[in-house]
Amino acid sequence: MNLIEQVKMAGVVGAGGGGFPTYVKISSKADIIIANGAECEPLLHKDAAVMENFAQYLVKGMQLSMEATGAKEGFIGIKGKNKDAIKTVNSLCKGLPIKVFILGDYYPTGDEFDLVYTITGRLIPPAGIPIQVGVVVNNVETLMNIAKAAQGEPVIKKTLTIAGAVKNPCTVTVPVGISYRECIDIAGGLATDNAVLFIGGLMMGSVTDDFETPVTKTSTGVVVLPRNHIVSKRRLLSRQDMAKIGKSACDQCRYCTELCPRFLLGYQVEPHQVMRSLAFTATGEDHWNQFAALCCSCGLCTLFSCPEGLFPKETCDNAKEQMKKMGIKLSFSKDIKPHPLRDGRRVPVKKLVKKLDIEEYNAPAPYIGEMNYVKRVNLLLKQAAGSPNKPLVKVGDKVKEGQQVGEIPNGALGAVVHSSIDGVVVSVDSDKICIER
């Protein structure tokens, strides 16, 4: 079995939140492999922990990926502030065609378009992907999982940060399928009443008060905030309310556009223009929505840039959904040329933390190792881009840790799921398999 088949059978996916099946990426031919260790979401430290504690797997995953794709160069992007990670990774790269690339502490440094340009000087085509410029980008944990897949180990564990309003913020490795309630217990429990969870981070993560939500292969962390915190209040508003506020208050100041990381790279992303669609009914939407097509949904415009506290990011999300529903393709054509003031307009994470009013939660979240024992896991049948798994087990079946319990239909894109514990299948639903030890 070659590496691509090993990675496919191990169910390796983008571990930084994207969830794209990794076997597809390493099936391509590339010049350069980039490990994304930028981790720009405030309060999250998962990638730093992976690089500090599992660097040997990261570097091995880079080597294997370079062999599979034919790439001659490899770069590991790490923020300069993560000095321990830099030191550890550098020591393992000596004599190899792999270099550490020091990144600034800006948001969102980890955006693929931004990262590829910063490291290589290459600009991904509008609506394109890195391989079109000869680059493959994978999260550092994904590369670790590639190395483990080559040893026959499937993806059944996840490293994530538990931060915010918890008693002991930490980073920990847990079985896939554990609930966020149990993760918060690992961090000493809640330090606030009436909490909400930001799964994946405050800027780009999803918001829920369902503490039984299970950890998946793409989980990067959870930030807990009180429900009455300003970020919670804003993120919990309905799309309809966000649109009403924007329709009544947007004065077209352009701050959302002028600080947009994709706009500063030269792409035709202009959130202030998309906001104009709120002032029209059926007139002009096809035009205004085009300015959202290349938005990366980083949330900077909504949670940092807008002086009136409006919701350009969510308006762009809605515009992209409308374009997809109506089958509208991007029609703008423009030469891509980075903005001359790009470097001066980048947003430091420290400044973002202050703007979000989360300075009291901006504490270290040290890595505390693996938490292996868990009584029950809920394994979602869809944990990657593409098709969900078809269950291979039924209620009452005994399963072993690492056993494949789902399969992807022939010819479909997706990633297989494995049991993360020894146990018995207690339920099989349309969206998940529950296993008890």
Side-chain angles (χ1 to χ4, degrees):
M1 189 183 295
N2 63 27
L3 179 68
I4 293 167
E5 291 169 334
Q6 289 173 316
V7 168
K8 185 176 183 178
M9 292 308 298
V12 183
V13 303
F20 193 81
T22 304
Y23 74 89
V24 178
K25 285 189 175 183
I26 62 171
S27 297
S28 307
K29 292 302 174 186
D31 305 322
I32 296 171
I33 301 291
I34 294 177
N36 188 348
E39 192 167 43
C40 43
E41 274 278 356
L43 309 186
L44 299 189
H45 308 282
K46 181 269 292 185
D47 287 344
V50 167
M51 291 185 286
E52 290 168 16
N53 294 278
F54 305 105
Q56 72 275 22
Y57 287 109
L58 163 60
V59 174
K60 183 63 177 177
M62 286 286 288
Q63 291 177 286
L64 291 170
S65 298
M66 291 171 70
E67 290 171 13
T69 60
K72 302 302 181 185
E73 288 184 287
F75 295 94
I76 302 174
I78 311 176
K79 287 188 173 181
K81 68 178 182 179
N82 293 322
K83 299 187 186 306
D84 290 342
I86 292 169
K87 182 179 178 181
T88 302
V89 174
N90 261 331
S91 67
L92 293 169
C93 290
K94 289 179 180 177
L96 300 176
I98 302 170
K99 299 176 182 177
V100 169
F101 191 99
I102 307 300
L103 301 167
D105 193 19
Y106 304 106
Y107 181 86
T109 313
D111 171 53
E112 268 191 347
F113 281 58
D114 196 286
L115 188 69
V116 168
Y117 177 72
T118 299
I119 292 178
T120 71
R122 302 178 185 183
L123 286 162
I124 300 169
I129 55 177
I131 195 61
Q132 290 177 265
V133 292
V135 180
V136 169
V137 181
N138 275 316
N139 178 262
V140 291
E141 190 178 8
T142 304
L143 287 153
M144 177 187 80
N145 288 335
I146 289 173
K148 290 190 173 185
Q151 298 177 175
E153 297 180 41
V155 180
I156 59 172
K157 297 176 181 178
K158 195 71 185 75
T159 300
L160 72 165
T161 297
I162 304 117
V166 293
K167 293 177 181 176
N168 302 304
C170 62
T171 302
V172 62
T173 301
V174 297
V176 170
I178 187 177
S179 71
Y180 279 100
R181 183 183 301 280
E182 290 171 283
C183 291
I184 290 167
D185 287 342
I186 294 169
L190 294 171
T192 185
D193 296 325
N194 202 12
V196 292
L197 309 181
F198 292 80
I199 297 174
L202 298 176
M203 301 298 292
M204 298 184 73
S206 59
V207 189
T208 183
D209 55 8
D210 182 3
F211 284 65
E212 301 309 318
T213 301
V215 168
T216 68
K217 297 178 184 184
T218 62
S219 300
T220 56
V222 59
V223 178
V224 181
L225 286 183
R227 187 176 290 270
N228 63 358
H229 190 279
I230 183 61
V231 178
S232 301
K233 288 180 178 179
R234 286 175 56 72
R235 291 290 310 275
L236 287 169
L237 277 176
S238 69
R239 280 274 188 95
Q240 292 80 6
D241 287 340
M242 291 178 183
K244 286 178 184 177
I245 294 168
K247 184 174 182 177
S248 66
C250 181
D251 61 6
Q252 291 290 291
C253 73
R254 284 188 62 101
Y255 278 112
C256 56
T257 293
E258 295 299 335
L259 292 176
C260 169
R262 289 282 178 94
F263 173 79
L264 293 173
L265 272 176
Y267 298 95
Q268 203 152 358
V269 183
E270 300 186 24
H272 80 283
Q273 299 251 43
V274 185
M275 292 293 284
R276 292 181 186 179
S277 68
L278 300 176
F280 297 84
T281 52
T283 305
E285 281 192 350
D286 290 0
H287 175 73
W288 306 128
N289 288 352
Q290 293 275 329
F291 291 99
L294 301 177
C295 165
C296 65
S297 298
C298 71
L300 198 62
C301 51
T302 290
L303 292 173
F304 182 85
S305 306
C306 181
E308 297 185 15
L310 307 183
F311 303 90
K313 180 261 185 187
E314 288 72 15
T315 306
C316 287
D317 287 345
N318 187 58
K320 288 186 286 185
E321 290 169 11
Q322 286 185 14
M323 288 181 69
K324 184 176 180 180
K325 186 177 179 180
M326 298 169 67
I328 300 172
K329 301 293 184 183
L330 180 66
S331 61
F332 288 152
S333 60
K334 179 186 176 185
D335 292 334
I336 310 166
K337 186 178 180 181
H339 196 290
L341 297 179
R342 172 175 173 261
D343 289 341
R345 290 187 184 173
R346 305 188 93 178
V347 176
V349 172
K350 282 185 178 179
K351 199 167 185 179
L352 180 60
V353 165
K354 187 173 182 179
K355 176 77 172 183
L356 295 174
D357 194 23
I358 54 170
E359 289 172 298
E360 65 179 296
Y361 304 118
N362 192 26
Y367 184 67
I368 60 172
E370 291 190 16
M371 201 288 283
N372 290 314
Y373 186 84
V374 58
K375 186 177 180 182
R376 169 194 292 247
V377 292
N378 283 294
L379 304 171
L380 297 187
L381 292 171
K382 181 175 169 58
Q383 297 189 38
S387 300
N389 281 246
K390 291 182 178 178
L392 292 176
V393 293
K394 61 184 183 302
V395 174
D397 285 353
K398 291 183 178 180
V399 295
K400 290 288 186 181
E401 179 184 303
Q403 178 181 329
Q404 185 177 338
V405 294
E407 64 178 356
I408 301 298
N410 286 335
L413 182 71
V416 296
V417 175
H418 303 77
S419 178
S420 56
I421 61 172
D422 294 339
V424 177
V425 177
V426 295
S427 68
V428 178
D429 300 324
S430 60
D431 64 335
K432 65 180 182 296
I433 297 170
C434 179
I435 299 170
E436 286 189 355
R437 192 176 291 277

